[in-house]
Amino acid sequence: LEDEKNILAACKRGDAMAFDALYHRFAPKMLVVCTRYARDRDEAKDLLQDGFIRVFDQLHTFRGEGSLEGWIRRVIVSVGLANYQKNSKIRNQTFDIDSSFSDDNQPFMAEEITSQIAYSEMLLMIQDLPPAYKMAFNLYVFEGFKHHEIAQKLNISEGTSKSNLFQAKRILQERITKVMFNL
Amino acid sequence: MSDFYDNDELEKAFRENIEGRSMNLPPSVWSNIKVAALERQLIRYQSTTNWFKGVSGLLATALVGILLWVYQQKTPAQLSNKAIVFTKIDTLYLTQTQKIYVSQPAAQLRVIQQERLTYQKQIKNLTQALVAYQAQEVENTTNQKLTTNHNPKLQIFTNKQPITTQPTPKDNNQPMAAGESQTNDNVESFDSKNNTKNQNVPSVAQTLVLEPMESIAYPTTEPILTIPKVRYKAPEAAIKAPKAPVEPLKNRFSLAVYLQPEWNNADIRRSERQAFDYANQNIRDGHTLGFRAGLKLTPKWSVLAGVEFTKLGFDEFNRKLNFTAEDIDGTPTFLYRNALGTVVIPNQKLIDKPQIGNVLQVESNEPITARFARVSLGLRYNVLSKKLQINPLNPLRWTLYGLAGGAIYIPQRQDIRLDIFQPNRQGAHFKFTEVENQHLAFGMNVGLGLSADYGKRIGVFIEPTYNQTLTSLVRNMPINTYLQSFGLKTGINWRLGK
């Protein structure tokens, strides 16, 4: 914690090396967050870049309440949300699952899934979700938002948020089943 | 929607497998961010100690200037004596000036000319009266003291000789008005063409020098009349002031001893991002013991020189540290780095020979202390001094003063006690005092002080002082450490001599 405090203090006085240290300390984890919100690696890089520029820009507003990593993550997520909202094409992309998916998939325990599927593969599964489902899944599962909060952030109804999350999980379950059974 | 998808197992699997993971960073991203941050002026490469360096440079220049000024300046007592001599004895000013500006046509000039002559007569009478009066005054006060042999001008007053004047050379096209010279029987006339005095006018040997009269230019907007100004300067011998008494050098010396609790802060600048991994301790407390000598230059200024011994305590105790073996000159070595230097942990003290990348677990269970000496030189200026006559034999004198100066910081030693835990072995306690990469540093200090001197010999003082190093206390490390401290000196002062 002391080193984080020192990095933060040095960043606030404009120390270039402190910005370097801050970026290299937190960016590897934040790139994973960006990948979850992006369609591909290039978009993830763009989100990371925009996210850290905003982090540096707003660093003076961090009051030390909570962890620095948590604050940076919230800034990165807000950049992902803004990217989703500004691109209406992405937002309106639909995915018809009714014809190609069935509900015959067997549920797996979390340990079974994590032991057999690499994290990078799971990351790709999220990345491949339709944007609206992906946003609902990310915000609900990883960021811990409630459906009314998601509805407010994405400017949709609470029911739509629930529906999008349901569809996201349905797609992911289908893909996990395929991987688990080598289908 | 079926309950199947409401279970948490899927969410849990994703959360556990993805959360906290890291990915390799593409190198181009940081370059782009850096450029953007520079454009937005979020990153500033200049050091914030630059202004300290600037201030200290100005301060040093000011100190040198003040010292030079103090040595070149004569004492205030000498100046006041000289002023008294000039005023009372040696200087006599008779000054009266009348200026008339003419812009009327030539027909009106005759009237103005008449006025001018009237003024001249009035001024002449006034001048003579004043000189006679002053001569009488001077004769009364200096008749016994001043000799006239070496002071011919003063003879005018003592012998009551008539006044002579030296009219100004006139322009060729502006002759002096008729009758002007006739009104002044004793005034020398002046030939402007030859630039010589007319010989037919008797000259007076001892002359009182009068400033020349200006010629009249008609029609003109220039002044047509200027009343002469009488000025007299006494010879050097008469104005020599008595020398101020010089205080013996021995009596101007003083010695002081003081204690100073300090509030310190280490300002650490990193030149590598990895340097943020260490030297993150804060300075907990500090104490200084100091001795200094003072030499009074003038009643207001003194020069102070001294030495101080400072002990700082770091808050790096009850901490667990991990050292990674590094390649130092081809040998895997564990290094403990802090804000004031580096300690090499000798491999002989370790049971297992380290390999590069090995991690050593260390606990710091006792406070780490650092000591350094500070050699200081500065100036003191007495702003205010008040004497309280509580006891007439030993009056109490309060003095408020300011201090400014420079200092050299000399690192001495650190006391570092570490419990080192090697893999599968018991911990061992080690003490280290030899610290490398320490460096002499230069600094500045400013302060205020309040002293109470009882009698002529002894006094006590209290001084809030701010110290700042201007150069780093460490070298050959990717960090630069600057120390800032605010201390409160309390001490006793002895004056030497009688």
Side-chain angles (χ1 to χ4, degrees):
Chain A
L1 282 176
E2 278 301 321
D3 49 355
E4 271 183 24
K5 272 186 195 171
N6 284 332
I7 290 172
L8 197 61
C11 282
K12 283 178 179 175
R13 63 172 184 254
D15 187 335
M17 206 49 65
F19 281 107
D20 193 339
L22 184 79
Y23 172 77
H24 285 92
R25 182 167 291 209
F26 296 110
K29 283 185 182 176
M30 295 308 135
L31 186 55
V32 176
V33 177
C34 292
T35 306
R36 285 196 281 109
Y37 285 90
R39 285 169 294 177
D40 50 37
R41 189 164 173 78
D42 283 342
E43 194 179 46
K45 276 165 60 178
D46 290 344
L47 287 178
L48 185 72
Q49 187 174 309
D50 293 348
F52 265 91
I53 290 169
R54 190 182 286 188
V55 164
F56 290 170
D57 219 6
Q58 297 182 354
L59 206 57
H60 63 279
T61 64
F62 177 63
R63 304 279 175 219
E65 296 155 1
S67 74
L68 180 60
E69 185 181 334
W71 180 82
I72 291 173
R73 182 177 166 143
R74 284 196 291 278
V75 173
I76 298 283
V77 168
S78 71
V79 169
L81 267 169
N83 180 63
Y84 169 77
Q85 282 166 338
K86 81 177 176 191
N87 197 334
S88 59
K89 271 188 181 176
I90 298 173
R91 205 165 55 229
N92 297 330
Q93 213 172 34
T94 54
F95 188 80
D96 184 15
I97 59 167
D98 289 337
S99 57
S100 57
F101 281 78
S102 67
D103 287 342
D104 299 336
N105 300 316
Q106 294 296 313
F108 298 104
M109 297 299 288
E111 289 76 19
E112 287 179 285
I113 298 168
T114 53
S115 63
Q116 291 192 43
I117 303 176
Y119 97 94
S120 54
E121 205 169 348
M122 294 176 83
L123 208 53
L124 282 173
M125 286 179 190
I126 298 171
Q127 214 170 44
D128 288 342
L129 284 173
Y133 301 168
K134 182 164 60 185
M135 292 307 292
F137 186 78
N138 275 328
L139 292 174
Y140 186 86
V141 174
F142 291 99
E143 318 310 338
F145 288 114
K146 306 290 178 201
H147 281 295
H148 70 271
E149 292 170 319
I150 296 167
Q152 200 178 8
K153 283 183 185 297
L154 299 179
N155 202 18
I156 55 175
S157 67
E158 203 174 323
T160 308
S161 173
K162 284 178 182 172
S163 167
N164 286 348
L165 177 68
F166 174 80
Q167 298 297 358
K169 287 165 80 171
R170 202 173 167 193
I171 294 168
L172 290 172
Q173 182 65 44
E174 178 76 22
R175 289 182 181 166
I176 283 170
T177 306
K178 280 185 179 175
V179 172
M180 296 284 272
F181 291 106
N182 290 321
L183 295 173
Chain B
M1 293 180 203
S2 74
D3 291 339
F4 170 75
Y5 294 109
D6 288 338
N7 75 70
D8 288 339
E9 288 300 311
L10 187 76
E11 294 172 15
K12 191 180 169 189
F14 275 91
R15 214 181 287 121
E16 283 182 354
N17 213 13
I18 291 175
E19 277 290 10
R21 293 278 187 174
S22 299
M23 290 174 80
N24 290 331
L25 294 171
S28 60
V29 176
W30 173 235
S31 312
N32 295 339
I33 292 172
K34 208 168 159 182
V35 169
L38 278 168
E39 279 173 1
R40 288 162 190 245
Q41 296 185 329
L42 299 169
I43 292 176
R44 292 182 293 274
Y45 279 98
Q46 75 275 14
S47 164
T48 53
T49 56
N50 280 352
W51 74 271
F52 274 120
K53 289 177 183 171
V55 166
S56 66
L58 288 173
L59 197 66
T61 311
L63 287 180
V64 170
I66 288 165
L67 276 174
L68 284 172
W69 178 78
V70 163
Y71 278 109
Q72 286 174 355
Q73 195 74 5
K74 290 172 181 172
T75 61
Q78 284 174 320
L79 286 174
S80 67
N81 285 344
K82 188 173 279 184
I84 290 163
V85 170
F86 266 107
T87 309
K88 288 188 173 174
I89 300 169
D90 298 314
T91 305
L92 172 64
Y93 288 101
L94 293 175
T95 305
Q96 188 170 348
T97 304
Q98 180 71 44
K99 291 180 180 177
I100 300 169
Y101 292 87
V102 178
S103 58
Q104 287 88 348
Q108 297 178 7
L109 290 181
R110 201 172 302 157
V111 179
I112 296 165
Q113 197 173 0
Q114 197 59 44
E115 283 180 358
R116 173 178 168 267
L117 289 172
T118 310
Y119 276 125
Q120 278 188 318
K121 283 176 186 173
Q122 287 175 352
I123 296 308
K124 183 191 165 195
N125 293 338
L126 178 62
T127 306
Q128 283 176 342
L130 284 169
V131 169
Y133 174 77
Q134 292 292 344
Q136 187 61 45
E137 285 289 307
V138 171
E139 188 181 20
N140 293 342
T141 54
T142 63
N143 205 20
Q144 299 299 320
K145 294 179 182 176
L146 300 174
T147 59
T148 55
N149 292 337
H150 301 291
N151 192 7
K153 289 183 180 177
L154 202 62
Q155 206 172 12
I156 294 165
F157 306 116
T158 54
N159 297 342
K160 297 186 179 176
Q161 290 193 7
I163 299 167
T164 62
T165 59
Q166 290 177 328
T168 184
K170 288 178 281 193
D171 293 339
N172 291 338
N173 58 351
Q174 294 172 355
M176 184 173 277
E180 184 181 6
S181 63
Q182 292 166 8
T183 58
N184 297 324
D185 293 335
N186 295 319
V187 172
E188 291 174 351
S189 65
F190 193 84
D191 187 344
S192 62
K193 286 180 182 174
N194 300 322
N195 203 25
T196 56
K197 292 175 184 174
N198 291 333
Q199 296 301 312
N200 58 345
V201 179
S203 64
V204 178
Q206 309 299 332
T207 60
L208 178 67
V209 179
L210 300 182
E211 281 210 343
M213 295 169 70
E214 289 183 11
S215 59
I216 308 165
Y218 299 108
T220 179
T221 54
E222 293 296 315
I224 60 168
L225 178 64
T226 303
I227 304 305
K229 185 165 69 178
V230 181
R231 186 182 296 155
Y232 173 68
K233 188 181 179 187
E236 284 296 318
I239 59 170
K240 245 184 183 175
K243 281 189 176 177
V246 178
E247 198 175 358
L249 189 67
K250 192 180 171 186
N251 290 1
R252 290 190 278 151
F253 268 111
S254 64
L255 293 173
V257 59
Y258 52 86
L259 281 169
Q260 175 177 254
E262 288 182 351
W263 293 267
N264 290 277
N265 178 45
D267 180 14
I268 301 168
R269 305 297 166 98
R270 274 89 172 172
S271 53
E272 283 178 9
R273 67 168 177 265
Q274 289 80 6
F276 279 97
D277 295 338
Y278 52 84
N280 288 309
Q281 58 275 93
N282 295 312
I283 299 173
R284 191 167 43 86
D285 55 10
H287 299 281
T288 294
L289 172 67
F291 305 93
R292 79 177 175 209
L295 174 65
K296 194 164 81 174
L297 301 173
T298 71
K300 289 275 187 186
W301 289 97
S302 304
V303 63
L304 306 172
V307 60
E308 297 174 340
F309 300 96
T310 300
K311 181 182 173 185
L312 302 178
F314 288 102
D315 65 357
E316 191 159 79
F317 60 97
N318 296 328
R319 277 191 186 186
K320 288 182 179 174
L321 308 165
N322 288 327
F323 300 158
T324 305
E326 299 170 41
D327 184 1
I328 307 294
D329 298 330
T331 309
T333 310
F334 291 109
L335 296 175
Y336 168 68
R337 298 185 181 93
N338 67 19
L340 294 175
T342 307
V343 171
V344 177
I345 296 174
N347 287 342
Q348 298 86 344
K349 292 194 175 186
L350 304 173
I351 298 163
D352 291 341
K353 192 181 174 187
Q355 302 294 320
I356 291 171
N358 280 5
V359 175
L360 190 66
Q361 286 187 322
V362 174
E363 279 185 20
S364 170
N365 292 319
E366 292 178 57
I368 291 170
T369 58
R371 295 165 196 265
F372 56 84
R374 201 158 48 196
V375 180
S376 62
L377 181 68
L379 281 175
R380 165 180 158 160
Y381 179 75
N382 292 341
V383 180
L384 190 68
S385 193
K386 287 269 182 189
K387 193 187 277 186
L388 298 177
Q389 289 284 3
I390 298 168
N391 178 359
L393 293 175
N394 289 311
L396 188 68
R397 179 177 286 279
W398 292 92
T399 308
L400 179 70
Y401 53 91
L403 296 161
I408 300 172
Y409 290 65
I410 306 165
Q412 293 185 306
R413 55 177 269 187
Q414 288 189 43
D415 292 318
I416 300 165
R417 294 175 179 84
L418 298 175
D419 292 325
I420 296 175
F421 297 91
Q422 297 183 66
N424 303 320
R425 311 272 183 180
Q426 284 191 333
H429 185 78
F430 296 106
K431 182 182 175 184
F432 303 96
T433 54
E434 296 298 320
V435 180
E436 296 177 6
N437 298 339
Q438 294 188 320
H439 194 232
L440 279 181
F442 296 94
M444 54 159 276
N445 57 70
V446 289
L448 276 176
L450 183 68
S451 71
D453 296 319
Y454 183 71
K456 290 185 176 178
R457 302 293 292 273
I458 196 162
V460 293
F461 61 87
I462 183 165
E463 287 175 11
T465 311
Y466 175 75
N467 298 285
Q468 162 82 48
T469 60
L470 302 168
T471 58
S472 176
L473 283 156
V474 296
R475 64 177 175 182
N476 301 330
M477 289 178 78
I479 62 169
N480 286 312
T481 303
Y482 304 95
L483 210 60
Q484 302 155 355
S485 66
F486 178 77
L488 192 66
K489 289 175 186 163
T490 48
I492 304 171
N493 191 53
W494 285 276
R495 283 188 192 166
L496 302 182
K498 293 179 181 176

